[in-house]
Amino acid sequence: MSEELVMIGEGHLREKRPGYWELTIKYQDMFNQKRRKSFSGNDIDELYIRSEEFIEKQAEKNRGIEVESTIVDILKRRYEYDYEKHYINEPGYYRNVNSLKKIEKSFIGKIPIRELTEKDIEAFLRSLVTYSNSVIGKTYSQLKLAYREAMAVDIVQKNLMDNRNLRCPKSVKPDGKIYAMTQEEQKLFVAALEKHIPPNNRNNYRRQLLIELYTGMRMGEINALKPENIDFKKKVIHVSGTISMGINNRVYRRDHTKTNAGMRDVPINDLVRPILEEALADVKPNKEGTIFYDYIKNDVVSTSQVCCFFRRICEKAGIPYYGQHALRHTFATRCIESGIQPVVLKKWMGHTNIHITLDTYSDVFDSMNNNAIDVFEAFVRDNAV
């Protein structure tokens, strides 16, 4: 039996016993540490093939993506990288990973991306049509990102998402319309809210709901308010934070709003002023220093907590429940009905651009056209020479 070691590039080949060989190679792991790996067998050519496959897989690991990675594996690594490098914040990371669940639960989420075919992707895209167009668009963008990442590290040789036949599908559902309370429903809601007496050891979110109804602020922004955000002298609320959902479903207060446009001043009108005064008078010390706080759990108040309370009030008032965000839409609708200009409403609502305001409330703006000609004619008559 030969014990002689034969140098083959970065490896050593030796015959351990007649007809049985061992190939030892050197490689660098993902931590740049030098390692050795041995392969044994009767066929020398097979040993070299196995060693080359190992080196190829190790190279992919060093680049952060393994050869057998699925779309989900690739995107999770990308989101983790973006979060660690501060390209996205914690709520952004949470939203990305959460929206990935549709792919994760599907059959394409369990197959390595290099094994997927155009028919697989096409079948998955067809399955999305029962979701809203916004959800479909997000999922389609995730598929495109996964293939770009896979192409960058040579896991796939062809980007299937470049196929012009794999277009983003359209939802079979009509685009959802916003729901706002009518003036009569609003009166019923406020009356039911004022009459409601919560059971012992239960939180009362009456003030938060009324603040949303009378200012249009997002509930996360309301629950994140601190006493110093309320400026009665200037008659504004300085919106500068929000309650967010983070990694592992952690609910926490963040010193920034959902978007940059959300960092704004909202006027304090006569309807909301007494509610804010009541809330400030009842503030107790808490670890976050917020006006509204869950002293039972010793934690911030989440939007989902308020949503459950809102549903119960809607049931008592005998009005439809379309989600607590309806209060924000109700505020915007009352503003439009009272003649507030879209550019002013955009700022109060914290919209990124005027198109969001116009598109979201297009039906409300359209309804205002019904008597527009009467307003025009009255103006001409009153100002005629």
Side-chain angles (χ1 to χ4, degrees), residues 2 24 35 106 311 364:
S2 171
T24 302
R35 304 288 185 188
S106 74
R311 179 191 288 272
V364 186

Side-chain angles (χ1 to χ4, degrees), residues 244-272:
S244 294
M245 184 75 79
I247 298 172
N248 297 323
N249 296 321
R250 179 176 75 98
V251 180
Y252 70 104
R253 186 189 184 281
R254 187 162 69 101
D255 286 326
H256 200 283
T257 52
K258 184 178 179 181
T259 63
N260 289 333
M263 305 288 283
R264 65 199 188 280
D265 286 346
V266 174
I268 296 175
N269 53 58
D270 289 342
L271 290 170
V272 79

Side-chain angles (χ1 to χ4, degrees), residues 105-272:
K105 292 178 181 178
S106 74
F107 71 97
I108 69 167
K110 300 172 178 63
I111 301 173
I113 191 171
R114 68 176 185 168
E115 296 179 13
L116 290 172
T117 65
E118 291 179 5
K119 287 185 178 180
D120 292 330
I121 301 298
E122 184 179 13
F124 173 71
L125 290 175
R126 283 201 301 268
S127 73
L128 295 177
V129 297
T130 55
Y131 293 100
S132 67
N133 282 318
S134 61
V135 170
I136 294 173
K138 175 67 175 176
T139 305
Y140 186 79
S141 297
Q142 287 181 318
L143 292 177
K144 296 186 73 172
L145 175 58
Y147 270 93
R148 286 199 302 270
E149 292 287 299
M151 286 287 291
V153 292
D154 297 324
I155 288 182
V156 296
Q157 302 303 313
K158 180 182 179 182
N159 188 340
L160 299 184
M161 296 306 295
D162 282 344
N163 187 331
R164 65 179 183 177
N165 293 322
L166 296 179
R167 299 169 61 191
C168 184
K170 296 295 183 182
S171 175
V172 295
K173 296 179 178 179
D175 286 335
K177 293 184 178 181
I178 61 102
Y179 170 77
M181 296 178 185
T182 64
Q183 294 188 30
E184 181 59 31
E185 287 173 338
Q186 182 174 334
K187 291 177 182 177
L188 292 172
F189 172 77
V190 172
L193 191 60
E194 296 295 349
K195 291 178 183 177
H196 177 73
I197 301 175
N200 291 333
N201 297 321
R202 295 284 290 273
N203 292 309
N204 188 351
Y205 304 114
R206 177 185 68 86
R207 290 166 181 163
Q208 288 105 304
L209 293 177
L210 288 175
I211 291 172
E212 183 173 15
L213 178 62
Y214 296 144
T215 68
M217 291 172 60
R218 300 177 180 92
M219 187 52 64
E221 297 168 345
I222 295 169
N223 287 328
L225 286 173
K226 294 185 175 184
E228 57 264 34
N229 296 135
I230 311 302
D231 191 337
F232 287 121
K233 195 170 184 180
K234 293 184 178 179
K235 295 185 177 181
V236 294
I237 301 171
H238 302 295
V239 183
S240 60
T242 190
I243 303 300
S244 294
M245 184 75 79
I247 298 172
N248 297 323
N249 296 321
R250 179 176 75 98
V251 180
Y252 70 104
R253 186 189 184 281
R254 187 162 69 101
D255 286 326
H256 200 283
T257 52
K258 184 178 179 181
T259 63
N260 289 333
M263 305 288 283
R264 65 199 188 280
D265 286 346
V266 174
I268 296 175
N269 53 58
D270 289 342
L271 290 170
V272 79

